[in-house]
Amino acid sequence: MSQRLKLEIKALDAVEGQDLVILVSDKLALPEAVGEWAGEGAQSLLTRAAAAERFKGKALAGLTLPSPEGASYDRLIVVGVGPEDERAKLDFVKLGGAIAGRLGAGRSAELILASPDGRIEPKQAADIALGLRLRAYAFDRYKTKSRDKDEAEPLTVTLRTADPSSLKKAVKTADAIAAGVIQARDLVNEPPNVLYPAEFADRAAKLEKLGVEIEILDEKALKKIGMRALLGVGQGSRRESQVVVMRWNGAKKDEKPVAFVGKGVTFDTGGISLKPGAGMEDMKGDMAGAACVVGLMQALAGRKAKVNAIGVIGLVENMPDGNAQRPGDIVTSLSGQTIEIINTDAEGRLVLADVLWYTQERFEPRFMINLATLTGAILVALAQENAGLFSNNDELSERLTAAGIATGETVWRMPLGKAYDKMIDSKFADMKNSAGRYGGSITAAQFLQRHVNDTPWAHLDIAGTGMAAANSEINRSWGPGWGVRLLDRLVADHYEG
C-alpha cells in the first residue's frame, strides 16, 4: 500500500507551495480571504479562463491555470462548490477527492479553506481532508519497476485556515476513519497466497496496539465449540480456518455492545461446485465483509468511540481437494439446525450462520450487522450502486439507510418473507444452503435469518460494492473499503454516549 499524501494544517499567513487551491461558487468570485494570497490579476485570469473553458463553478468540477505574473506559486487550481442554494447537499469528502485528483504526486499545494460565501466549518474541512487521504491511496506494494522520481514522492497538502486548533481536532477523527478504510482496502487488495486465514487473523490482531481486545479461535477451538458449518467450508483447504473476535470497550462496562460480523473467505474456488475459470482471480475479494469489520474496529478504536463494539470474522479458504465438502452432505450448525449442502459455492452463508449464532449467544448485542460478498444475484438486482439490505428490524434499517445517504455508501432494502423462507426447506435436513436461481439474494438472507433468533439484525450483501469498484472521486482502488464509513456513521449518530 502507498499512501502518497502528507497533510499539514497551518494558519492563513503565507503561501509556500507550488500549487494554490481555491474554492469558488457559480459566481466565480475569489473568496475575500483568498485575494491577497492569490495575487493581483488572479480574478481576471480566472474569469477569462472560465469563459474559454466553459467552467461554471459546478460542484466538484475543476480548472487548472498557470499562476498570474509575479505570484509565488506555479499553478492556480480552482474547484467548484456549486451555487449557494445547493451548498447543503455538497459532499465535502468527495470535494476533497476531487481536489486531490487535480494535484500531482511529488508536488506541494496550499488549500485555502474559505468558502465563496464565508467560513468552512471544521467538520466540513475534516471531510475534505478525509477525501484527500482516500483519493491519494494506491495499492502498489508488489510493483517492482522503478517509478518516476516525482511519482515516488508524496503529495504535500497544507490546509490553510483561520482556526488551526479546531481543525486539527476534527481532522484527527477523520484520519482515524481514513485509516480504517485504508486497512479494509489493503486487506481486499492483497493476493490470496499472502492473505490466507491465519495471516488475516494476525493482521486483525495488530489492532491490539489501539486498545482492541483480540481473541483468535483456531480449528481445535472451533471444533470444540461446534462450528461445523464453518469448518465444513474450509475442510478442503490446507489452510486452517479461523475465527477472530475483536472487542472495543469505549463505553460503560454494563452497556450492551453493538456487533458486526464479517464473511472472510480469503479465496473462493467454489469448492467441488467449481466456479468457471474466467474471472476467478477476483475471488480473493470474497473476504470484503471481514475486511470492513476489521477496518471499522480500527476506525472506532482510532477515534476512541464511546461505544462497546464487537467485531467477529469467520476466515476460511474454499478449496476442492479430496477432503472437500460435497453436494449432498448434511452438516449440523452451531445452532443445532441441520443443513443439506446443495452447492458448495453457497459457502459464505455457512460461515456466517455459525458466527452469527455464536455472536448473539455469547455477547447478547443490541444489534448484529453482518457484511458479506454473498451473492452474484445482488449484482443483477442492484448493480454496483447499492448494497442489498435485509433486516428483521425497521428502526435499524432506517438508520442504515440514513447513514448510507450521509456517506454515499448507499443501501437498498430488499424483502424477506415466509414464501421465500419456504424455498430453503430441505427434504432431508432442516434447510438447504441453496434454493436455486430465483430470488438468490433473498433466499440467502432467509438462510441467515434462521440463525439470528430475535436479535435486531441486518444483512448487507456487498457483492456489488465490496470489490472490483468503479473509479470515483475518492477511490481509484480495486478494493474500495466499502462499509467502514457507513457503519462508523451509524454508530456515531445513534449508539455513542
Side-chain angles (χ1 to χ4, degrees):
M1 181 274 292
S2 175
Q3 179 64 14
R4 304 193 198 100
L5 178 68
K6 181 181 179 183
L7 203 60
E8 299 178 343
I9 299 170
K10 294 182 180 180
L12 271 169
D13 56 11
V15 171
E16 302 167 347
Q18 297 169 300
D19 299 327
L20 177 65
V21 184
I22 61 174
L23 306 175
V24 299
S25 70
D26 58 330
K27 297 175 183 177
L28 302 183
L30 294 180
E32 191 174 325
V34 171
E36 62 178 296
W37 309 115
E40 189 176 344
Q43 181 66 69
S44 174
L45 179 66
L46 169 58
T47 302
R48 287 184 287 113
E53 297 293 331
R54 298 183 180 180
F55 174 76
K56 301 183 183 299
K58 183 180 177 182
L60 311 185
L63 190 62
T64 301
L65 310 171
S67 62
E69 189 173 349
S72 61
Y73 56 92
D74 299 335
R75 299 190 303 175
L76 176 63
I77 297 174
V78 182
V79 179
V81 295
E84 185 177 1
D85 60 358
E86 295 179 6
R87 200 67 45 76
K89 299 178 182 177
L90 179 62
D91 187 328
F92 283 87
V93 179
K94 286 186 177 180
L95 179 61
I99 292 168
R102 286 267 156 190
L103 304 173
R107 295 185 67 84
S108 60
E110 306 271 332
L111 169 55
I112 298 183
L113 292 169
S115 164
D117 310 300
R119 178 172 176 262
I120 291 179
E121 297 299 322
K123 174 62 171 67
Q124 296 169 334
D127 281 347
I128 290 174
L130 174 58
L132 287 165
R133 288 209 182 280
L134 296 182
R135 178 62 179 263
Y137 171 89
F139 187 83
D140 57 5
R141 67 175 45 146
Y142 299 105
K143 297 271 190 181
T144 59
K145 292 183 179 179
S146 61
R147 291 182 174 277
D148 180 272
K149 183 180 178 182
D150 288 339
E151 289 184 2
E153 294 297 319
L155 164 67
T156 300
V157 178
T158 302
L159 304 179
R160 293 284 181 178
T161 175
D163 187 3
S165 60
S166 294
L167 181 54
K168 285 177 181 178
K169 184 177 180 181
V171 167
K172 189 175 181 181
T173 296
D175 282 349
I177 297 169
V181 175
I182 288 166
Q183 168 78 285
R185 287 180 178 180
D186 278 352
L187 290 168
V188 175
N189 285 325
E190 283 283 13
N193 61 316
V194 172
L195 193 74
Y196 45 89
E199 172 63 18
F200 198 129
D202 286 345
R203 295 199 188 187
K206 291 178 181 178
L207 296 186
E208 282 183 323
K209 61 187 175 185
L210 292 176
V212 179
E213 295 178 9
I214 303 293
E215 183 180 357
I216 299 175
L217 306 174
D218 60 15
E219 284 200 353
K220 183 178 179 181
L222 298 177
K223 287 174 184 175
K224 185 176 180 180
I225 292 168
M227 289 198 189
R228 289 172 288 269
L230 181 150
L231 288 169
V233 176
Q235 72 187 40
S237 172
R238 295 182 181 181
R239 308 284 194 182
E240 274 211 4
S241 300
Q242 312 259 282
V243 168
V244 182
V245 179
M246 297 162 279
R247 303 185 69 167
W248 167 249
N249 301 310
K252 293 179 181 179
K253 190 174 182 180
D254 60 351
E255 185 174 300
K256 277 193 170 187
V258 295
F260 303 93
V261 172
K263 169 190 170 183
V265 180
T266 59
F267 193 74
D268 181 22
T269 65
I272 297 297
S273 305
L274 193 67
K275 291 178 180 290
M280 194 191 287
E281 67 277 7
D282 284 354
M283 289 300 98
K284 71 174 187 174
D286 208 18
M287 32 56 68
C292 171
V293 172
V294 174
L296 173 65
M297 296 301 292
Q298 174 159 343
L300 295 176
R303 68 175 182 81
K304 301 196 181 307
K306 295 178 174 63
V307 68
N308 294 334
I310 304 292
V312 188
I313 53 176
L315 305 173
V316 301
E317 187 179 59
N318 188 19
M319 300 292 281
D321 87 341
N323 193 48
Q325 188 165 250
R326 295 157 292 250
D329 284 0
I330 293 177
V331 296
T332 303
S333 68
L334 181 59
S335 70
Q337 299 174 91
T338 55
I339 304 166
E340 180 189 7
I341 308 302
I342 301 297
N343 188 326
T344 63
D345 195 23
E347 85 299 330
R349 65 203 71 180
L350 300 172
V351 173
L352 290 172
D354 277 351
V355 178
L356 283 167
W357 189 269
Y358 176 81
T359 302
Q360 70 172 5
E361 290 289 291
R362 178 176 174 184
F363 299 109
E364 299 180 355
R366 297 167 71 179
F367 68 72
M368 291 192 297
I369 296 174
N370 73 258
L371 302 96
T373 49
L374 206 64
T375 66
I378 205 67
L379 273 158
V380 176
L382 300 176
Q384 292 183 285
E385 301 304 312
N386 296 279
L389 163 62
F390 302 82
S391 182
N392 63 3
N393 187 276
D394 291 340
E395 180 182 70
L396 183 57
S397 294
E398 289 163 7
R399 289 176 173 181
L400 275 166
T401 299
I405 293 169
T407 59
E409 295 188 333
T410 52
V411 300
W412 193 269
R413 193 171 185 182
M414 302 285 284
L416 293 168
K418 290 182 179 179
Y420 295 115
D421 194 63
K422 189 176 181 181
M423 291 170 66
I424 60 169
D425 286 342
S426 166
K427 294 179 181 178
F428 305 106
D430 295 325
M431 69 194 83
K432 54 188 177 182
N433 77 327
S434 176
R437 180 181 178 188
Y438 297 134
S441 296
I442 302 171
T443 54
Q446 292 288 172
F447 182 96
L448 297 180
Q449 190 177 25
R450 292 194 183 191
H451 297 85
V452 297
N453 287 332
D454 297 323
T455 302
W457 156 80
H459 156 54
L460 296 177
D461 193 334
I462 62 171
T465 58
M467 59 181 177
N471 285 343
S472 70
E473 287 88 354
I474 58 173
N475 181 57
R476 288 295 190 270
S477 168
W478 187 84
W482 192 98
V484 174
R485 293 193 303 124
L486 167 74
L487 298 178
D488 178 82
R489 183 62 176 262
L490 173 75
V491 171
D493 284 351
H494 300 288
Y495 298 99
E496 287 191 66

